[in-house]
Amino acid sequence: MKGVVISNWRSVTVRFCPLRGWVGRFVALLVVCVMGIGSQRPTAAEENQYITGQLLVASPKMKDSHFVETVVYMIRHDEEGAMGVVINRPLAKGPISDLLAGLGVKSKGASGEITLHYGGPVKSKQGFVLHSNDYVRNGTIVVQDGFALTGDTEVLRAISRGTGPRQSILVLGYAGWAPGQLEAEMERKDWFVIPAEEALIFDEDAETKWEKAKDRRRIKI
């Protein structure tokens, strides 16, 4: 599925408050789009193998700096590979009106702030809004169990006006795995899996998400 592509992304600069040691202006370089998720649903047997719609949690054994102490919501997992977005690494926070203006979107009536999150090391200039499925428009992908993904700027405008989804998180980039790669990482205990919970995914206290996810684990690591 194609989202909105901003051709002049180099000029998109948003004045946000830096988090986690970021200094000065945060250059959003935001291209709001969603990769092809695929509309074909897996069979019941395949669903038992895959973890689409669940949370992938880094174990204490994780050594990859991109994923140490991360929690990843899995957008897609099948025989062709996997894709997810990290939900517990905020990057910067600022007025949503500034973000909309930087994207060339009319911001009249916009209010409130929005936090940009690190979604993963792949395609870091692509943005995704993961949200509750009470908001659905043309192009929205309902992933599973109350969660959805929308890839156009209208969802940001709706959020700014209080007419968007009840819960949402904006991420830049995503995590991707080739066929069999994630399975191998799970086999060596780099990750464990827990059910997705709205309270955890949209918790504003990002610093505690990983610890809370560990408390919910079902397997000993």
Side-chain angles (χ1 to χ4, degrees), residues 110-124:
S111 64
E113 293 187 319
I114 193 167
T115 300
L116 303 176
H117 295 77
Y118 166 83
V122 184
K123 302 286 187 181
S124 61

Side-chain angles (χ1 to χ4, degrees), residues 68-90:
V68 170
E69 297 188 358
T70 57
V71 182
V72 182
Y73 179 76
M74 296 303 298
I75 304 296
R76 177 182 180 179
H77 184 209
D78 56 29
E79 70 280 359
E80 296 180 355
M83 170 191 171
V85 291
V86 177
I87 62 166
N88 66 322
R89 282 194 181 177

Side-chain angles (χ1 to χ4, degrees), residues 63-200:
K63 303 300 182 184
D64 188 333
S65 61
H66 292 113
F67 298 113
V68 170
E69 297 188 358
T70 57
V71 182
V72 182
Y73 179 76
M74 296 303 298
I75 304 296
R76 177 182 180 179
H77 184 209
D78 56 29
E79 70 280 359
E80 296 180 355
M83 170 191 171
V85 291
V86 177
I87 62 166
N88 66 322
R89 282 194 181 177
L91 297 175
K93 183 177 182 179
I96 193 170
S97 58
D98 286 357
L99 176 61
L100 292 172
L103 293 170
V105 177
K106 292 182 180 180
S107 58
K108 184 178 180 180
S111 64
E113 293 187 319
I114 193 167
T115 300
L116 303 176
H117 295 77
Y118 166 83
V122 184
K123 302 286 187 181
S124 61
K125 297 179 182 67
Q126 293 184 349
F128 308 84
V129 179
L130 174 66
H131 58 85
S132 50
N133 68 357
D134 53 317
Y135 176 93
V136 177
R137 57 180 281 107
N138 186 29
T140 295
I141 293 175
V142 177
V143 182
Q144 193 168 306
D145 297 331
F147 301 98
L149 204 68
T150 299
D152 63 55
T153 53
E154 185 57 37
V155 65
L156 294 174
R157 180 155 48 186
I159 291 170
S160 76
R161 295 176 176 175
T163 59
R166 179 173 45 83
Q167 301 274 17
S168 64
I169 181 172
L170 172 61
V171 301
L172 298 177
Y174 70 95
W177 293 265
Q181 182 182 0
L182 180 56
E183 288 83 350
E185 293 178 8
M186 293 175 68
E187 181 67 24
R188 67 172 184 252
K189 308 300 184 184
D190 286 347
W191 304 96
F192 63 94
V193 178
I194 63 172
E197 295 182 16
E198 185 177 286
L200 179 59

Side-chain angles (χ1 to χ4, degrees), residues 48-60:
N48 291 330
Q49 302 177 53
Y50 303 123
I51 59 171
T52 297
Q54 299 186 61
L55 291 177
L56 186 69
V57 185
S59 79

